[in-house]
Amino acid sequence: MIKEELKDKMKKALVGTLSCFVALTMLTSCSTKVDHKSKSKSIPKHSETSTTTSDKVIQSEQKVTQFTHEELAMAVYVDNYVDNHKDITSTIDSINSNQNLTMSEENNLFTISQGTYSSQQNISIVDTEIVCTIHSGKDNSVEKKLEVKSINEKYEKYHDQIQNMIAIGKNNNEKLAKNSIDTKNLSTEQAITWVKNYLIQQGANNDEFDEVIFKTQMSSEGYLEICIYTWNLAKTAQTLSSIYRISSDGKLEQGSTSSSDTWSVVSDSYIQ
């Protein structure tokens, strides 16, 4: 009887122990799941398309093309002609239509011209400043100063056109060097051709030359002079309308028909 009671008590105690063990196991399992969920929630998901504020600023910034010195020089040359045209594009087209565009450089001094002295500009760049000397047909010159930054920003979108103009200018300059003519020793025919081509650049056409007469003569000072005469309506008399000469340094000068002492350079390189 006593043995049966002991067995019954031991059986109950064992059942209780097993129940506690099962309960503890379930509690531990639940705790682990909750912990995993909390940890997974605490880790932010990474988005492949997310960008930081600094990234957005960098993406929004546009890369500015920094012009070289020769590009700045050509841009300034164009800029000095913009006032005579509607816009930059038409100015570039107008300059390109003149096939005598030349560009040379020596000691950071750029010389750009379209075959005439009045179209010549001397341009240099020092630090952040551009200095440009603009010549005129009367031997006068005007100095103009501009900022590198302003020219760079103004002509950035015309960068390709500016580079094309530089290539044309350099190519023409090389051709002139290879086929250079000694302007201090011209024949009368070469001298007349120079004057005609200069006048064509100024707007004349070949048909107009049929209405005038070109004559050459040596002045008392030893200069080769090219005189242009026009006929009266009856074509019975000729009148001196223009006079040019080749100077001692090989430049084409225009004189006054009323004064033999007034001369001004109109073209400093031979125009073929």
Side-chain angles (χ1 to χ4, degrees):
M1 185 75 174
I2 295 174
K3 287 182 181 181
E4 290 179 0
E5 289 180 0
L6 273 175
K7 286 181 180 180
D8 188 48
K9 287 182 180 180
M10 289 177 66
K11 185 177 180 180
K12 289 180 178 180
L14 181 60
V15 171
T17 301
L18 289 172
S19 299
C20 290
F21 177 78
V22 171
L24 182 60
T25 301
M26 293 177 64
L27 181 61
T28 303
S29 176
C30 292
S31 176
T32 303
K33 290 181 180 179
V34 171
D35 185 58
H36 280 223
K37 288 182 180 180
S38 61
K39 285 183 179 180
S40 63
K41 289 182 180 180
S42 64
I43 300 175
K45 292 184 179 179
H46 176 70
S47 174
E48 294 180 357
T49 59
S50 63
T51 56
T52 63
T53 304
S54 59
D55 289 335
K56 292 179 180 179
V57 172
I58 292 173
Q59 291 172 2
S60 64
E61 291 179 351
Q62 294 182 351
K63 187 178 179 180
V64 178
T65 302
Q66 297 299 323
F67 277 29
T68 62
H69 281 190
E70 67 177 8
E71 290 169 349
L72 287 168
M74 186 60 77
V76 168
Y77 187 83
V78 172
D79 200 62
N80 289 327
Y81 278 93
V82 169
D83 291 340
N84 299 328
H85 301 85
K86 294 181 179 180
D87 53 38
I88 294 175
T89 299
S90 62
T91 302
I92 291 175
D93 291 341
S94 175
I95 295 175
N96 283 337
S97 66
N98 184 333
Q99 300 179 359
N100 294 297
L101 177 67
T102 60
M103 181 179 192
S104 61
E105 184 265 337
E106 185 175 355
N107 297 325
N108 198 36
L109 178 64
F110 297 90
T111 300
I112 306 174
S113 172
Q114 296 177 66
T116 62
Y117 190 74
S118 59
S119 68
Q120 178 178 310
Q121 296 179 26
N122 300 107
I123 305 166
S124 61
I125 296 93
V126 181
D127 297 328
T128 60
E129 187 176 64
I130 304 171
V131 181
C132 177
T133 302
I134 305 172
H135 300 281
S136 70
K138 297 181 179 180
D139 277 341
N140 295 325
S141 60
V142 177
E143 187 175 274
K144 187 176 180 180
K145 295 183 178 180
L146 305 97
E147 292 184 357
V148 168
K149 183 180 179 181
S150 62
I151 292 296
N152 203 129
E153 292 177 348
K154 184 175 181 180
Y155 285 86
E156 183 187 2
K157 64 180 180 179
Y158 303 97
H159 185 249
D160 291 344
Q161 291 97 315
I162 293 296
Q163 284 189 319
N164 182 56
M165 294 179 72
I166 292 172
I168 293 173
K170 285 183 174 181
N171 185 54
N172 287 342
N173 197 61
E174 290 177 1
K175 287 181 180 179
L176 287 175
K178 291 179 180 179
N179 304 314
S180 61
I181 293 176
D182 184 4
T183 55
K184 296 179 183 179
N185 189 30
L186 294 175
S187 65
T188 56
E189 184 179 349
Q190 288 175 321
I192 291 174
T193 298
W194 192 353
V195 172
K196 284 183 176 180
N197 289 337
Y198 165 72
L199 292 173
I200 289 173
Q201 282 193 351
Q202 303 307 305
N205 57 67
N206 287 315
D207 293 337
E208 295 178 42
F209 298 147
D210 296 334
E211 305 298 324
V212 299
I213 297 174
F214 288 86
K215 294 182 179 181
T216 59
Q217 63 187 28
M218 295 299 294
S219 70
S220 58
E221 295 89 357
Y223 297 114
L224 176 59
E225 295 181 344
I226 305 94
C227 305
I228 302 176
Y229 292 88
T230 55
W231 289 99
N232 61 2
L233 292 176
K235 289 195 174 184
T236 56
Q238 298 174 359
T239 303
L240 178 64
S241 61
S242 303
I243 184 169
Y244 297 86
R245 77 177 185 182
I246 310 301
S247 67
S248 58
D249 55 356
K251 295 181 179 181
L252 181 63
E253 296 181 330
Q254 184 174 10
S256 170
T257 56
S258 60
S259 173
S260 60
D261 297 328
T262 305
W263 296 93
S264 59
V265 176
V266 293
S267 179
D268 59 354
S269 59
Y270 190 77
I271 307 172
Q272 300 189 64

